[in-house]
Amino acid sequence: MKRAKLGLIGCGGIARHSHLPTIGELTRKGALDFVAVCDIDENRAKEVASQYDVPYYTDVEEMMERHKNMDVVDICTGDYTHHLLAKMAAEHKIHPIVEKPMSITLPCCDVMIEACKRNGVYFEVAENYFRMPADRVIVKLIKEGVIGEVMRVYYVDPIDRRPLWKMGSHSGVCLDMGVHRMSQIRLYAGSNPKRIVGVTKQFMPVEGKVFEDWGHAIIDFESGAVGIFECSAVGEKMVSYRQIIGTRGTIRDFSLRAVVKGKMQDIPIERKTHKVDGKEVLTKIIVHTEPQITYENPFKEFALDDWQIGIAEEIMSIADAALQDREPEYGMEGRKDVEMCIALYESSLKGMKPIDLPITEMTTYEKMVHEDFKEVFGYYPTEV
Ligand SMILES: NC(=O)c1ccc[n+]([C@@H]2O[C@H](COP(=O)([O-])OP(=O)(O)OC[C@H]3O[C@@H](n4cnc5c(N)ncnc54)[C@H](O)[C@@H]3O)[C@@H](O)[C@H]2O)c1
């Protein structure tokens, strides 16, 4: 069986914690072919290269030139670089997968989309939460109608700042964690958002920083469902909770109460595991509704935990797209998550004005981000 040849860019936290161990296991078991690694920090690149026995580079262009038969590149660098590196990959006819958020603004997402289209390659966004077993089960339960029509989705999670606020690589929580939560709220609602109203605040000002430390949004979906989103990084450690309330039941985190035989009751959720190379691995999750709902781990022969199953799914999504010439699972959905976050920022900037989706013109918030980018790099992020 042909295996996709994969290179990785950016050997920081998420790569070392999540992507590399997963890619290593997929390669060991013959599902993938890890061929090269790159980081501008030579020590980091060297260390990863020796651990995974692949050549290393400190220049992305050089890696792509030397590995012309590379199918996929896994981009694990900071947010503001995603669209630039993905465009470079597309121009080398390599299919990119970028870590989330897809990019820092919608025009930057569009740079990536347009470059991939023009060069005949697919792209994927490494949104991992919905691919993890528990979330797959939740979405399956909702689709099977176990909780009836979804009315309200709450996701309250402990931040925010604008990308590039101190030339750091990442965004604040309303975009950083925000894209994850917007993705989940949207998938649980099973509908597209039509309007968002939101507010972000900086409760504890930090000199010279433009970021807010809290954000809240109300999302009105086409289906009639309402989403309630909150991200915070201020005050006491917040209670994080998610709750999906339907006409016939409720999912709270990973427990389920639903109407069975006319009565609201707790539904048992069973988790079966087995050992792979000494590691406890998920076999399946069974939800004891009538009929039963089962989730089978698609990577049960691999020594991967539940978090890594989400990472394996996103990487194999772009690997399969590249080899089998088919759309990856998420792709454009990653843009929708960014769009929901931009709507929140824009609403806040405009005094909690409701923002209609889709966004059709560059927002004031995005113009500010592009100006920040120009101040740091000397050019606008779309001038690439
Ligand atoms: N999916 C998740 O749950 C999750 C979790 C954490 C981070 N992330 C995302 O992953 C990305 C990386 O986050 P991180 O915390 O690992 O960052 P990090 O700062 O720890 O690592 C980034 C690495 O990229 C390298 N790099 C930067 N520009 C480069 C370039 N042009 N060429 C080669 N290497 C370059 C840096 O030297 C660094 O080693 C961010 O977009 C972040 O939002 C996702």
Side-chain angles (χ1 to χ4, degrees):
M1 201 186 75
K2 196 167 180 263
R3 292 174 294 170
K5 293 189 187 339
L6 173 141
L8 180 139
I9 309 172
C11 306
I14 191 68
R16 286 191 284 188
H17 168 265
S18 301
H19 289 240
L20 288 161
T22 308
I23 291 166
E25 175 67 1
L26 291 170
T27 300
R28 257 190 305 282
K29 299 261 166 76
L32 203 64
D33 196 2
F34 185 22
V35 295
V37 70
C38 176
D39 198 297
I40 44 176
D41 179 331
E42 187 168 5
N43 289 333
R44 282 190 172 182
K46 214 176 189 170
E47 192 190 315
V48 168
S50 84
Q51 197 180 342
Y52 292 90
D53 196 23
V54 291
Y56 77 86
Y57 300 87
T58 53
D59 181 83
V60 174
E61 188 91 45
E62 190 190 344
M63 177 177 87
M64 291 178 182
E65 280 298 315
R66 294 265 188 101
H67 296 266
K68 286 196 183 295
N69 60 356
M70 191 183 276
D71 300 295
V72 169
V73 69
D74 184 11
I75 300 170
C76 295
T77 53
D79 304 354
Y80 64 84
T81 63
H82 293 172
H83 72 292
L84 308 171
L85 295 172
K87 180 171 186 274
M88 197 189 284
E91 281 161 358
H92 284 80
K93 313 291 179 208
I94 300 171
H95 305 257
I97 171 167
V98 292
E99 250 304 342
K100 53 51 53 180
M102 179 173 170
S103 194
I104 50 176
T105 63
L106 294 172
C108 291
C109 289
D110 294 341
V111 164
M112 177 171 155
I113 294 165
E114 193 277 324
C116 289
K117 200 168 169 190
R118 189 164 25 87
N119 288 286
V121 296
Y122 295 109
F123 71 89
E124 181 58 305
V125 177
E127 177 47 62
N128 50 320
Y129 277 82
F130 80 94
R131 303 183 214 250
M132 288 191 261
D135 264 54
R136 291 282 195 200
V137 171
I138 290 174
V139 171
K140 209 167 172 176
L141 287 168
I142 295 168
K143 283 203 172 137
E144 295 288 331
V146 171
I147 63 164
E149 297 292 320
V150 173
M151 297 186 289
R152 301 192 302 280
V153 180
Y154 296 81
Y155 212 129
V156 175
D157 198 9
I159 175 177
D160 179 79
R161 50 191 181 243
R162 287 208 310 273
L164 305 149
W165 61 277
K166 59 157 192 182
M167 218 192 128
S169 54
H170 319 304
S171 317
V173 159
C174 283
L175 188 66
D176 184 17
M177 288 314 289
V179 278
H180 288 310
R181 303 308 173 225
M182 291 297 194
S183 161
Q184 287 169 296
I185 292 174
R186 188 163 50 79
L187 295 177
Y188 301 155
S191 178
N192 281 318
K194 61 175 188 185
R195 187 173 267 198
I196 294 187
V197 62
V199 58
T200 62
K201 280 193 184 271
Q202 190 184 43
F203 284 110
M204 287 188 176
V206 181
E207 209 189 321
K209 309 269 168 70
V210 295
F211 62 90
E212 73 275 22
D213 45 29
W214 178 88
H216 184 99
I218 301 176
I219 306 146
D220 189 12
F221 285 97
E222 281 168 3
S223 66
V226 172
I228 290 118
F229 160 109
E230 188 167 315
C231 280
S232 171
V234 69
E236 293 285 309
K237 191 169 177 357
M238 306 269 296
V239 173
S240 169
Y241 77 94
R242 78 182 134 177
Q243 197 158 278
I244 307 150
I245 302 175
T247 49
R248 293 178 53 79
T250 295
I251 299 170
R252 173 142 193 224
D253 289 322
F254 198 43
S255 65
L256 172 66
R257 278 177 69 73
V259 176
V260 181
K261 292 183 181 135
K263 211 175 123 214
M264 181 69 80
Q265 44 192 283
D266 292 317
I267 313 284
I269 298 174
E270 192 185 348
R271 188 184 159 87
K272 290 187 182 294
T273 60
H274 61 283
K275 287 237 156 72
V276 178
D277 305 334
K279 184 170 177 156
E280 203 73 32
V281 168
L282 176 71
T283 318
K284 57 167 81 169
I285 297 172
I286 306 160
V287 186
H288 293 278
T289 42
E290 282 175 30
Q292 275 188 0
I293 286 176
T294 306
Y295 163 89
E296 296 270 350
N297 176 5
F299 293 95
K300 53 165 88 76
E301 306 89 50
F302 298 81
L304 299 173
D305 61 26
D306 284 30
W307 174 270
Q308 292 167 330
I309 291 168
I311 308 289
E313 286 222 358
E314 65 199 24
I315 289 165
M316 293 313 292
S317 168
I318 190 68
D320 291 344
L323 293 191
Q324 294 161 25
D325 193 10
R326 64 171 204 220
E327 285 291 340
E329 183 179 12
Y330 207 61
M332 286 297 286
E333 300 292 304
R335 188 187 186 280
K336 288 189 191 170
D337 302 332
V338 173
E339 187 178 38
M340 290 173 78
C341 298
I342 299 292
L344 158 57
Y345 289 120
E346 188 68 3
S347 174
S348 183
L349 270 180
K350 300 252 168 87
M352 295 176 71
K353 181 181 167 215
I355 304 296
D356 289 328
L357 298 175
I359 291 173
T360 52
E361 277 175 16
M362 195 170 173
T363 60
T364 310
Y365 168 79
E366 290 171 307
K367 287 180 188 155
M368 286 161 68
V369 173
H370 284 215
E371 291 301 330
D372 288 352
F373 191 102
K374 188 172 186 205
E375 205 178 308
V376 176
F377 298 106
Y379 61 97
Y380 289 114
T382 46
E383 289 174 351
V384 287

